[in-house]
Amino acid sequence: MTETSPVAAFFAACDADDLGAAADCFAPDGVWIVASGPEPGRTYTRDEIPAFLKEIVGKRDLLDADGARMIYGERIVVADQEFLEFRCESAAGVVLDRGIDVFTLSDGKILRKDVFRKA
């Protein structure tokens, strides 16, 4: 995997709270499919992603305040997809959430971010 991965750029922008840059990692017809809601989960279009990211940053800040942390595995690249395992642990080390993000890429952008998780 190269440093120019749109997935790496997406996470770097999220870490910097640059939600516009994070959303720009998605293709114009890109979507983010979350695991919650009726299967396959709620789908956010490219235009809806910045507002959704703002919600996520708010939740992240609450978790940070409680001492929880997100832990990511190494991204695995297979053809036009990247896979990333994640888990959220409480300050005491209890796993609160875990799952896998599956990113489908096209022309240097994220075409689909599909989240599979276990609570």
Side-chain angles (χ1 to χ4, degrees):
M1 177 186 48
T2 67
E3 291 293 323
T4 60
S5 162
V7 175
F10 169 76
F11 278 99
C14 288
D15 287 345
D17 291 341
D18 189 345
L19 307 184
D24 286 344
C25 294
F26 283 80
D29 58 342
V31 295
W32 183 335
I33 306 168
V34 298
S36 60
E39 290 302 322
R42 167 86 162 83
T43 298
Y44 293 88
T45 65
R46 166 62 183 82
D47 292 339
E48 297 170 314
I49 289 172
F52 180 56
L53 279 169
K54 187 174 180 179
E55 288 179 37
I56 290 174
V57 166
K59 291 176 185 176
R60 179 196 67 197
D61 292 346
L62 291 173
L63 287 169
D64 287 348
D66 287 340
R69 63 189 180 120
M70 291 297 296
I71 300 167
Y72 296 96
E74 291 187 38
R75 289 189 319 275
I76 298 169
V77 179
V78 179
D80 66 345
Q81 292 189 306
E82 291 190 26
F83 301 84
L84 180 65
E85 183 179 9
F86 65 86
R87 72 181 183 275
C88 179
E89 289 185 359
S90 72
V94 175
V95 176
L96 305 172
D97 194 13
R98 65 185 180 92
I100 295 174
D101 286 333
V102 178
F103 294 87
T104 301
L105 310 176
S106 178
D107 295 324
K109 296 284 187 177
I110 299 168
L111 185 59
R112 183 175 54 247
K113 178 182 188 297
D114 206 347
V115 181
F116 299 87
R117 68 178 258 266
K118 300 252 185 191

